[in-house]
């Protein structure tokens, strides 16, 4: 089984930048579709960004132009570069990996707090 471990969260001021990382431990994930989700307190988990095994990306409207997702298959790692951060970006961010119809993994999350 694959374990996904997120890192890079922390406290940042509005307008600042932060980069999240997610490393897959146990298996090479080059063929996985990967995603970043977030779940603000009291709200449902929502898709922030995704990148397919082929490298295509898609972003939520709320982060488009500010966030960039990328992957480094040699390192079994995906990234979420976040810039122009807003207080409403504050959330726990989760890494997700999927392959086919029967494989779906989640990380435990990393907290991003945007506040002055």
């Amino acid at each position: 089984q694959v374990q996904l471990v997120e890192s890079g969260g922390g406290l940042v001021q509005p307008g600042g930048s932060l980069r999240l990382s997610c490393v897959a431990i146990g298996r090479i994930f080059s063929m996985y579709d990967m995603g970043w989700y977030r779940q603000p307190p009291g709200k449902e988990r929502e898709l922030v960004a995704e990148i397919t095994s082929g490298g295509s990306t898609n972003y939520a409207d709320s982060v488009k132009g500010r966030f960039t997702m990328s992957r480094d298959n040699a390192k079994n790692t995906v990234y979420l570069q976040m810039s122009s951060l807003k207080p409403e970006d504050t959330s726990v961010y989760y890494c997700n990996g999927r392959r086919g119809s029967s494989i779906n993994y989640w990380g435990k999350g990393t907290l991003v707090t945007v506040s002055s």
Side-chain angles (χ1 to χ4, degrees):
Q1 187 173 103
V2 174
Q3 181 182 11
L4 302 178
V5 181
E6 304 97 333
S7 63
L11 175 64
V12 63
Q13 293 185 337
S17 299
L18 208 61
R19 189 179 77 161
L20 306 183
S21 299
C22 171
V23 61
I25 300 174
R27 293 287 184 181
I28 297 174
F29 71 8
S30 61
M31 301 306 297
Y32 282 63
D33 297 328
M34 304 296 296
W36 285 100
Y37 291 73
R38 66 187 181 189
Q39 187 170 16
K43 298 183 178 180
E44 297 296 319
R45 191 170 300 186
E46 64 178 357
L47 176 68
V48 177
E50 61 183 359
I51 186 166
T52 69
S53 61
S56 299
T57 55
N58 184 56
Y59 302 93
D61 288 341
S62 60
V63 307
K64 193 172 298 182
R66 300 188 297 119
F67 291 10
T68 301
M69 188 174 182
S70 61
R71 67 191 301 159
D72 186 339
N73 290 335
K75 296 182 178 180
N76 279 4
T77 303
V78 295
Y79 305 93
L80 185 66
Q81 179 65 51
M82 306 182 292
S83 61
S84 301
L85 284 162
K86 305 174 181 179
E88 50 263 45
D89 294 320
T90 296
S91 182
V92 176
Y93 284 72
Y94 298 90
C95 182
N96 171 261
R98 299 184 68 94
R99 185 180 181 185
S101 60
S102 61
I103 301 176
N104 185 26
Y105 299 113
W106 289 95
K108 295 181 179 180
T110 185
L111 177 62
V112 173
T113 303
V114 184
S115 177
S116 60

